[in-house]
Amino acid sequence: MLKKLGSWARQWEGKLTEDLVLKPGEFGLGKVPGRLKPDSITNMVCGFCSTGCGLNIHLKDGTAINLSPNTHYPVNLGMACPKGWEALTPLQAPDRATDPLLRNTAGELAPVGWDEALKTFVTRFKGIQAQHGNNSVAWLGTGQIVTEELAFLGALGKFGMNLLHGDGNTRQCMATAVVAYKQSFGFDAPPYTYQDFEESDVIVLVGSNLCIAHPIMWQRICRNKNKPEIVVIDPRKTETAMAATQHYPILPKSDLTFFYGLAHLLIKHGRINKAFIEASCTGFDEFSRHVEDFTPERVSQVSGISVRDLQKLALTLHRGQRVSYWWTMGVNQSYEGVRVAQAIINLALMTGNIGRPGTGANSITGQCNAMGSRLFSNTTNLLGGHDFTNAIDREKIAGILGINVANIPDTNSWAYDQIIDGIKQDKIKGLWVVATNSAHSWIDQNDFSRLIKKLDFFVVQDMYHSTETAQLADLVLPAAGWGEKEGTFINSERRFGVCKKVCRAPGQALADFYIFKLVAEYWGCGEMFKKWTSPEAVFQILKELSKGQPCDITGIRDYQTIDHAGGIQWPLKSGELLKSSERRLFEDGKYFHTDQRARFIFETPAAPAEATDAEFPYLLLTGRGTSSQWHTQTRTGKSDVLKKLCPQSVYVEINPEDAEKLQIMSHQKVRVESRRGSLTANAFLTTVVARGQVFIPMHYATSNKLTHPSFDPYSRQPSYKACAVKISAIGMEMRGHKE
Amino acid sequence: MAASQTIEFKPVSRFDSLQAERSEESLIDQYIREQKTLTPVDRFSRKHEEQLFPAQQKYYQDLIPLGLPAAGQQYAFEVNLDQCTGCKGCVTACHSLNGLDEGETWRSVGLLHGGSTQQPVQQTVTTACHHCVDPACMNGCPVLAYEKDPVTGIVRHLDDQCIGCQYCILKCPYDVPKYHKTKGIVRKCDMCSSRLTVGEAPACVQACPNEAIKITLVDRQEVSTGFRERGEEFLVGAPEGSYTLPTTRYVTNRPLPSNMRPADDHEIKPEHAHPPLVMMLVLSQLSVGAFLFGWLTSFFPFPSHDRAFQAISALAAGLLALASSTLHLGRPLYAWRAVLGLKTSWLSREIVAFGLFAKFAILYAASFWLEPFLAILKPGIVRDSLTFFSPATIQNGLGFMVIFSGFAGIYCSARIYQDTRREFWKAWLTTGRFFGTTLLLGLATIPLALGLSLRSMPAADAANLSRIVQWFLFFLLTISLTKLGWEAMILSHLKSGKLTPLKRTALLMKIELRNVTAFRFLSGFCGGLLLPALLILLGPTSIPPVMLSTLLVLSLVFCLIGELLERHLFFSCVIPPKMPGSLSL
């Protein structure tokens, strides 16, 4: 009786308690929320970044209800970053595009049926082509959709719609690595496998905040049992620099000189691998002469790193038995990024740190399918890493696809910036943007938004109708997202992973694949794609396209094979046995140039296009803010949890000593101004950023109002990471406080 | 853009044929149908589906203790700061693997930064419940909705026991318990106790890619002596450990410089204003004050009907206060459970005290009708027992009990807030504030009650009473001046060179809540200083009765508004202690 009374007064169980009760999830999951107990699970690759983690999707009646990282996937070994954990949430956002939207006479986007949308699409684009020529319509694609869709878009655009100019947002992240690899190795071939992180004894990270941008790769470093020297070369004391054993805060854009200086020191002290250079490289002597002038004193002056520290680093590189070099956007997004990447490649080559476990000159990719875009988007390269200007390649592709070779253009496409410039020159009058948010992410954003208004017809195909770019469109095509369609992604280490349809797309939204099918039909070129019946059918076509190429995947049977293997890295030639889940390139010392040798490529460093001066005395760096933010936040901004893990509004990191000069207090509102635009931000005073430099994360809508449109001449990649700005405090609101 | 521009172009005839195919199913409809069909999973059957043990076990088996804690020990989180690099995977893993609702998180990751330009330092800090040895949440809970497991030491929240008073949120110095609005209760980390029971690691431990979080065994006595006797630091930038004895251990091989500051150190945000609590506190204090001075008037020749009117008004305010307090609760139906926590919780004590106060207050108000009631009552035992004491004695006795229980209630109210150890709610600040309001509003009701009857009195009595009213007004003026001046003193912290909690409070009053602050002082000035001074100078009898009543009502209304705004600031401008956070604004 008393007990009953007690339990009535003090309630240990009930509905509220039950809500959080955990139950065995089975399938090797351990306990899971009882409410979300799956009846089956399936693995698929994450759709945010290029790490390409395997996620266990927890299914109930075939629909995703939850997820957890896959312990058995060779990439992430049971871990994920916040974006991966929250990958399903953005699919439920209320601002999903659910119907095609057409701008009406009142200037508003209003829902229309697919039939009307597609008729308008075809009528308007064909109209523009009739008036201004075929090449007056262009597309801007992405690294966020599956490879099969990328290939479809590229083939449809160039072979079906007779467009010449198409590019993707991979231009903004990976173009530099592509060109660097192509020139140095003869093919766009990142040589590494993630296992190399675990096997190095010296790991050099250049312009890469791995802890925040690629936390799962950092996990692989944490698993390294060799107590490696971790060297971070970055102007900021990033999270990764904090966790490193050596940090070299070089002055922004002194990187090319810095690496030539290291080469100089290594050569001077004979710390090079002559046998390897002899056997596998060309151009070393010229390179050796080139770096003669890069004396430690000169390099120290340019980079701000003392001669002693330079020598220390050179010695570290020399002492390492397995030195791996890794770079990301700090290198790629530069006006001379290709040469910087090649300066890194040169270091790996001259010391023989390539083609062995724990070595390599390794570009870490950005987007989940930038690698798929690089090989199969039919923009910079003809499908499968072929060459538009090569008649044999065109014949080969035409044969495989069963199309008339005349449909394949024999000239290269314009790059992203040239397409934008084409709008300015009235040469591009129609534009089709697929799964990217150019109005937010493109450099010198104000100029972009002005130019878009010059277009006769602007189509945006996206998951959300609310993106800055979709809001400017004449026609919005509602797309299904990751998790709502099938296909493959290729990750940083060349691994194919499978995406599955585990959620229903909202309303009338269709997978990009279906949208391309419909466009082809309405355009009148449906016949050309009659074999392209499903993503997996297209995968079989991709296999054929890859045959005989360095990225040959004819040995992969189908999606199921990839799924069972935990992803498969290219190449895997027909008949070749998959020996290991972790494979690297160049173990035989043979490269993809016709002479099978790697090239030393170099050039005299140039000055940045916009240096600081008296009026704009601070150098603006941009980059990743937190691990919970992805690019323009169109998806991560839809998860309440991810939003909690990052600052809600744009902020600028300022060194406290600079702030004192400028009389700026912590968390005060400041205006940051460049010659192109200005923004208002919260000041965050931190020693993480050096004096004379400021840092603004790229995720906020106004960041690119400031950036300076300069480009690497070889890769056409925008130089996001250096422009001159001035800063001033706003108002008298003395919320801040001096330390 | 020339969206409406007409282009001369004839659509291809393919459109028509596509439309014609609709007799079957159009391509569009077919694709939309296919789009809704999900990938059949059996196409990708999995080898390890029948796996017995959790797959992740091979990674976390070294990160949890082998056995249960020995006597005197308990489980604790241990965070290796050198391994925490700010990926925040732990936060999302906790969210997903515990089935928390959208936006609900039990773990967070903060950022400390400092050092110098030459040697910059930043350190991310993952944090959740510290499963304290002496948990403030548990000690404050009025309904015993917390339990500290005697074996594991895990501080568990009993969701079905919770009434949603959120006092634990105010009590916890580490901002751990989180209010779930739609469920009306608080929820928090339980160290995944049901996972630990079966040898699985908590979600955060399972999910950290760098193995920065593990579960260890700590000696409870050791935690206590460490913080309370040896004065050990819990973590730079975090509230000190001596209060609740947090068991989480932050370990590092590279000691953090002492100038490390949380990244959100300068993000000063107003707290929730809790309108029901504002109403409850101010009206209960008004009620007690009104009873106090109403009772005191019995020692002066005041007309009984004025005193009755005053008592009824005071009772109304008191009951309204109690009613509004229930609006604050997430589950008001279970409010009765509040008696359970009497032993440790000031909130329980407040509820009990005000419960008694309400009962005495009702009887006291009723006592004004005791004589007419007795007059109609038939002679007998009831009447005899009621007349054992004289009506005046009964009334005075009841009045005393009302005031005693009321003051006890207000004292408990003050202890509730001072017990949270927040600077702005410190003992003298809160007690002074609460009793100040009691006296101020109590005084403001007296002239009102009397002023109303002045006009119907013989001139001599009126003049006599008028003098008393003037005295009351004078006291009101004095108390108002003291209280306003004393409240304004907080703004002197603006001059402080350090960003102390009280400076933050002052900044909030000066910037974010400047309008509330301005109106608070304006109302207080009008109701407590200007109008009373005016009435004292003119003399109540020389003012036309209608005007007099209006001015007296206005004085009370302004005083009341002023006190409500004061209490709004009391809740909004307090700076709660918390773990170091990252930039959020």
Side-chain angles (χ1 to χ4, degrees), chain A residues 17 35 115 455 521 735, chain B residues 1 14 19 99 160-161 512:
Chain A
T17 310
R35 278 185 289 119
D115 185 57
L455 291 169
E521 288 298 333
R735 149 63 70 239
Chain B
M1 239 171 295
R14 178 85 182 154
Q19 293 299 315
D160 279 288
Q161 179 66 9
E512 276 82 0

Side-chain angles (χ1 to χ4, degrees), chain A residues 721-732:
Chain A
K721 301 210 182 275
C723 79
V725 295
K726 61 180 170 187
I727 308 157
S728 51
I730 297 179
M732 293 300 293

Side-chain angles (χ1 to χ4, degrees), chain B residues 74-144:
Chain B
Q74 74 161 84
Y75 286 145
F77 285 116
E78 182 176 298
V79 175
N80 184 341
L81 291 175
D82 302 343
Q83 293 298 111
C84 177
T85 47
C87 81
K88 308 180 183 183
C90 50
V91 180
T92 42
C94 168
H95 171 83
S96 296
L97 291 182
N98 285 317
L100 305 192
D101 282 339
E102 183 59 20
E104 190 182 12
T105 49
W106 288 348
R107 188 166 264 290
S108 66
V109 176
L111 175 68
L112 289 165
H113 68 117
S116 61
T117 301
Q118 289 68 39
Q119 299 240 289
V121 182
Q122 61 170 327
Q123 175 67 58
T124 50
V125 180
T126 175
T127 176
C129 177
H130 299 308
H131 299 280
C132 302
V133 172
D134 188 10
C137 54
M138 185 173 85
N139 296 338
C141 179
V143 297
L144 307 184

Side-chain angles (χ1 to χ4, degrees), chain A residues 412-429:
Chain A
N412 280 322
S413 158
W414 279 346
Y416 203 135
D417 70 299
Q418 292 160 324
I419 291 173
I420 303 302
D421 197 54
I423 304 173
K424 192 183 271 176
Q425 314 287 339
D426 284 321
K427 287 177 182 158
I428 300 289
K429 302 302 289 180

Side-chain angles (χ1 to χ4, degrees), chain A residues 179-180 183-184 337-347 601-602:
Chain A
V179 177
Q183 293 181 347
S184 293
V338 170
R339 293 296 177 253
V340 178
Q342 286 166 336
I344 297 169
I345 293 172
N346 293 348
L347 284 176
I601 301 171
F602 51 89

Side-chain angles (χ1 to χ4, degrees), chain A residues 435-670:
Chain A
T436 188
N437 190 7
S438 315
H440 180 315
S441 65
W442 188 246
I443 201 158
D444 191 8
Q445 191 191 87
N446 288 341
D447 191 47
F448 179 89
S449 300
R450 272 193 299 274
L451 287 177
I452 285 298
K453 301 209 170 71
K454 287 187 70 180
L455 291 169
D456 283 348
F457 196 55
F458 180 36
V459 181
V460 173
Q461 184 168 320
D462 204 285
M463 285 171 71
Y464 303 101
H465 61 69
S466 57
T467 71
E468 284 80 1
T469 315
Q471 288 298 306
L472 298 172
D474 296 310
L475 176 66
V476 177
L477 301 177
W482 170 92
E484 296 166 345
K485 57 187 186 179
E486 293 174 352
T488 55
F489 288 152
I490 311 175
N491 80 349
S492 252
E493 42 155 16
R494 313 179 314 283
R495 185 183 304 274
F496 278 81
V498 183
C499 293
K500 295 169 192 173
K501 212 197 291 182
V502 292
C503 295
R504 284 180 182 82
Q508 306 282 300
L510 286 174
D512 299 280
F513 187 85
Y514 288 125
I515 299 178
F516 300 143
K517 279 293 268 188
L518 287 169
V519 168
E521 288 298 333
Y522 276 72
W523 194 275
C525 58
E527 197 61 21
M528 189 182 273
F529 298 99
K530 66 171 189 287
K531 275 175 27 186
W532 300 49
T533 51
S534 68
E536 192 152 14
V538 174
F539 182 75
Q540 296 303 329
I541 299 173
L542 300 185
K543 279 168 60 178
E544 281 184 68
L545 293 167
S546 75
K547 194 170 182 181
Q549 290 289 93
C551 59
D552 193 324
I553 48 163
T554 48
I556 304 176
R557 202 185 61 194
D558 54 12
Y559 285 177
Q560 206 169 334
T561 323
I562 299 174
D563 201 61
H564 279 178
I568 297 175
Q569 290 165 298
W570 65 257
L572 190 71
K573 292 187 190 111
S574 179
E576 192 182 342
L577 212 66
L578 185 63
K579 285 189 226 95
S580 163
S581 65
E582 298 249 16
R583 294 176 298 139
R584 64 187 62 79
L585 301 178
F586 308 132
E587 286 182 317
D588 57 359
K590 293 191 169 66
Y591 293 82
F592 298 122
H593 283 296
T594 41
D595 61 2
Q596 299 193 328
R597 285 168 172 274
R599 306 266 187 276
F600 279 92
I601 301 171
F602 51 89
E603 197 170 327
T604 306
E610 190 183 52
T612 53
D613 56 22
E615 196 188 352
F616 295 93
Y618 292 92
L619 197 75
L620 169 68
L621 312 174
T622 63
R624 185 73 67 99
T626 65
S627 64
S628 70
Q629 288 164 298
W630 178 249
H631 289 184
T632 69
Q633 301 198 81
T634 49
R635 279 186 292 162
T636 52
K638 306 291 152 54
S639 153
D640 287 345
V641 171
L642 295 181
K643 269 161 69 182
K644 267 178 138 175
L645 300 179
C646 62
Q648 287 312 293
S649 46
V650 56
Y651 64 96
V652 53
E653 289 182 2
I654 307 173
N655 184 283
E657 293 176 32
D658 285 336
E660 191 164 0
K661 263 191 296 180
L662 293 162
Q663 299 198 314
I664 290 170
M665 303 209 200
S666 225
H667 224 275
Q668 187 171 6
K669 286 254 183 285
V670 294

Side-chain angles (χ1 to χ4, degrees), chain A residues 101-112 116 120 124 473-474, chain B residues 1-6:
Chain A
L101 302 170
L102 184 63
R103 199 168 291 280
N104 59 24
T105 44
E108 290 157 355
L109 286 170
V112 292
E116 189 183 342
T120 312
R124 298 299 309 272
D474 296 310
Chain B
M1 239 171 295
S4 57
Q5 181 190 333
T6 51

